[in-house]
């Protein structure tokens, strides 16, 4: 439903006296935003002209005034022809693209920080900065902080009064769940008698009109972000809330028929999708490494009754130990003894005890394959005794991959 509508031009005279007075107010709002600390990772020119907080969602084309989606009032009869702040003529409004700066800096800081001692806590994103970013199923659980409760109450208040850019007939439980990135069961448990699913949105102003109220809303939202201890989780929550506001505003514009320039926004959405796909791929690769290391550890210790390895000389004097394999597959450094057994120029010697043999055979006999995946049979006794029997079940275990120096010519 995204719109990248054609921009219209209107030649209205500007009101210089009102413009000067409102620019003085803008300076005061920007000073207030700086005193509040602004929003991390957001350029300084994206300061809302109404509440003075950073992280504006929309920009007025022409004058460049920025606003939060909740602070911008659309005209009852679109399109917008004058900026509501400086009264300069405008040809439309544009969505501000998403910024990944804070997320990238938080992940770098988490990756550079020393590993925490003890057992890894479930859901600790500082210990797992490469988790599945952008996963819709990744919802907040656990206890509520006082700042989150205050922000949730403010959202509910403005939702009930119709002062938000929300689509008509939206249910309160859906709105709060999406904004707070919270599971519905968590909301229901916290607000048992609130009847969240029975309250639907009815728009009045569609924005927070009172500037003081807008500033109070911005302070509560910033307090909610800062109450999150994990730097990565805090950056991702801020990113998520901004994305939700801009999606809500775009739907609001579609409902009113207000043209909206969303080209830059769509570019940032594509980047977000690319990062989400890369995170899923990283998760699959990590799971693949774990499965491969488990199979190799089991099979190298039970090679007589499980996998049968050809012990011919392959350029590697002997196979790596299970500890060396686990270290290499998990991205660590191998032991000094293992490093001496590697042959220079052969990056696959450490992949498995028999992968180098397969590659040698392919290259020696000119088999037209450039890339090799090795799967090996592993026999699992039904009683778990480790002894082979006629009733043993056979499974295939991934044992590594390698790219040869042989290049297949195009047919």
């Amino acid at each position: 439903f995204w719109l990248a509508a054609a921009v219209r031009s209107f030649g209205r005279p500007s009101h210089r006296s009102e413009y000067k007075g409102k620019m003085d107010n803008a300076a005061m709002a920007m000073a207030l935003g700086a005193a509040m600390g602004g929003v991390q990772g957001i350029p300084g020119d994206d300061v809302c002209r109404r509440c003075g907080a950073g992280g504006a969602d929309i920009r007025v084309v022409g004058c460049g005034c920025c606003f939060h989606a909740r602070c911008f009032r659309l005209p009852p009869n679109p399109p917008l022809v004058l900026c509501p702040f400086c009264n300069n003529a405008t040809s439309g409004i544009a969505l501000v693209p998403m910024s990944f700066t804070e997320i990238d800096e938080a992940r770098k800081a988490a990756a550079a920080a020393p590993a925490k001692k003890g057992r890894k806590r479930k859901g600790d994103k500082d210990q797992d900065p490469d988790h599945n970013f952008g996963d819709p199923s990744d919802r907040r659980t656990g206890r509520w902080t006082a700042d989150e409760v205050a922000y949730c109450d403010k959202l509910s208040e403005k939702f009930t009064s119709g002062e938000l850019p929300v689509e008509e007939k939206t249910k309160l439980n859906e709105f709060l769940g999406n904004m707070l990135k919270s599971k519905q069961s968590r909301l229901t448990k916290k607000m048992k008698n609130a009847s969240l699913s029975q309250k639907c949105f009815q728009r009045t102003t569609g924005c927070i009109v009172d500037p003081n109220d807008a500033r109070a809303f911005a302070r509560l939202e910033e307090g909610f972000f800062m109450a999150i201890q994990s730097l990565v989780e805090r950056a991702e929550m801020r990113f998520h809330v901004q994305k939700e506001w801009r999606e809500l505003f775009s739907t609001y514009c579609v409902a009113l028929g207000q043209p909206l320039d969303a080209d830059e926004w769509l570019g940032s959405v594509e980047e977000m999708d690319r990062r989400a796909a890369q995170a899923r791929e990283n998760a699959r690769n990590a799971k693949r490494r774990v499965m491969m290391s488990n199979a190799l550890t089991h099979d190298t210790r039970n090679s007589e009754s499980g996998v049968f390895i050809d012990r011919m000389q392959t350029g590697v004097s002997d196979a790596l130990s299970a500890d060396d394999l686990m270290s290499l597959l998990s991205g660590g450094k191998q032991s000094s003894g293992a490093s001496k057994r590697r042959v220079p120029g052969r990056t696959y010697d450490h992949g498995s005890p028999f992968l180098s043999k397969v590659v040698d055979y392919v290259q020696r006999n000119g088999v037209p394959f450039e890339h090799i995946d090795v799967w090996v049979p592993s026999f699992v006794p039904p009683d778990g005794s480790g002894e082979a029997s006629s009733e043993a079940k056979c499974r295939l275990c991934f044992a590594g991959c390698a790219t040869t120096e042989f290049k297949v010519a195009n047919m």
Side-chain angles (χ1 to χ4, degrees), residues 92-336:
I93 51 180
L95 277 179
V96 176
M98 300 299 299
S99 173
F100 298 90
T101 304
E102 185 181 3
I103 291 181
D104 293 340
E105 291 179 353
R107 289 186 172 183
K108 289 180 181 178
K116 298 180 181 179
K117 296 182 179 180
R119 187 175 181 181
K120 179 180 176 181
R121 182 174 62 87
K122 182 179 180 181
D124 191 346
K125 297 181 179 180
D126 281 351
Q127 296 189 46
D128 185 19
D130 294 328
H131 64 279
N132 198 349
F133 169 66
D135 186 359
S137 62
D138 184 16
R139 294 275 176 164
R140 286 170 60 84
T141 58
R143 296 182 179 180
W144 289 68
T145 63
D147 298 276
E148 185 178 10
V149 172
Y151 181 54
C152 180
D153 291 342
K154 196 66 173 179
L155 285 173
S156 301
E157 174 190 336
K158 295 305 176 184
F159 181 94
T160 304
S161 61
E163 298 180 73
L164 296 176
V166 180
E167 188 177 4
E168 293 279 2
K169 298 182 179 181
T170 300
K171 294 183 178 181
L172 180 57
N173 61 333
E174 296 177 358
F175 171 72
L176 293 178
N178 292 334
M179 291 301 300
L180 300 176
K181 203 178 180 182
S182 175
K183 288 187 175 182
Q184 291 296 326
S185 58
R186 184 170 179 262
L187 287 170
T188 305
K189 184 177 180 180
K190 184 64 179 178
M191 295 171 280
K192 296 181 179 179
N193 301 322
S195 301
L196 300 180
S197 61
Q198 298 178 8
K199 296 180 180 180
C200 297
F201 183 77
Q202 292 183 353
R203 188 183 304 113
T204 54
T205 60
C207 72
I208 304 176
V209 179
D210 185 4
N212 293 326
D213 205 5
R215 287 191 283 269
F217 191 101
R219 286 193 294 269
L220 290 174
E221 187 176 74
E222 183 66 16
F224 164 59
F225 294 145
M226 298 307 296
I228 302 175
Q229 298 300 319
S230 169
L231 294 178
V232 176
E233 186 177 356
R234 180 191 305 168
E236 291 187 357
M237 176 55 68
R238 194 193 303 274
F239 184 95
H240 170 80
V241 172
Q242 291 176 351
K243 179 177 69 69
E244 288 294 325
W245 281 122
R246 293 170 198 185
E247 288 180 352
L248 289 172
F249 186 80
S250 65
T251 307
Y252 181 31
C253 289
V254 171
L256 293 184
Q258 169 64 46
L260 182 67
D261 183 2
D263 289 344
E264 294 185 6
W265 157 259
L266 290 175
S268 65
V269 171
E270 291 177 357
E271 171 64 14
M272 182 180 64
D273 292 340
R274 186 195 66 80
R275 291 185 175 217
Q278 184 62 43
R280 290 192 296 269
E281 180 65 21
N282 292 341
R284 284 194 294 265
N285 289 337
K287 184 177 180 180
R288 187 182 189 185
R289 288 194 297 268
V290 171
M291 294 176 63
M292 186 170 67
S293 64
N294 291 339
L296 289 174
T297 302
H298 178 271
D299 292 337
T300 52
R301 291 175 179 175
N302 303 276
S303 58
E304 295 298 336
S305 59
V307 176
F308 296 93
I309 302 174
D310 186 355
R311 292 175 175 78
M312 294 177 62
Q313 294 298 324
T314 63
V316 182
S317 58
D318 53 349
L320 296 181
S321 66
D323 293 337
D324 290 332
L325 289 171
M326 291 289 288
S327 176
L328 286 165
L329 293 170
S330 61
K333 295 182 179 180
Q334 63 190 51
S335 63
S336 58

Side-chain angles (χ1 to χ4, degrees), residues 10-124:
F10 296 87
R12 295 291 183 90
S14 60
H15 303 277
R16 296 295 179 184
S17 59
E18 295 182 12
Y19 177 76
K20 183 179 183 302
K22 290 192 175 183
M23 288 306 294
D24 293 338
N25 294 336
M28 295 177 60
M30 293 175 67
L32 176 62
M36 292 170 56
V39 174
Q40 299 178 7
I42 302 298
D45 59 343
D46 286 347
V47 176
C48 178
R49 292 293 189 262
R50 180 173 293 276
C51 68
D57 303 307
I58 58 176
R59 181 181 293 109
V60 179
V61 178
C63 62
C65 292
C66 297
F67 301 87
H68 289 118
R70 61 179 180 268
C71 297
F72 189 82
R73 187 169 188 173
L74 289 174
N77 298 316
L80 181 73
V81 296
L82 291 176
C83 175
F85 179 78
C86 65
N87 280 334
N88 276 340
T90 178
S91 56
I93 51 180
L95 277 179
V96 176
M98 300 299 299
S99 173
F100 298 90
T101 304
E102 185 181 3
I103 291 181
D104 293 340
E105 291 179 353
R107 289 186 172 183
K108 289 180 181 178
K116 298 180 181 179
K117 296 182 179 180
R119 187 175 181 181
K120 179 180 176 181
R121 182 174 62 87
K122 182 179 180 181
D124 191 346

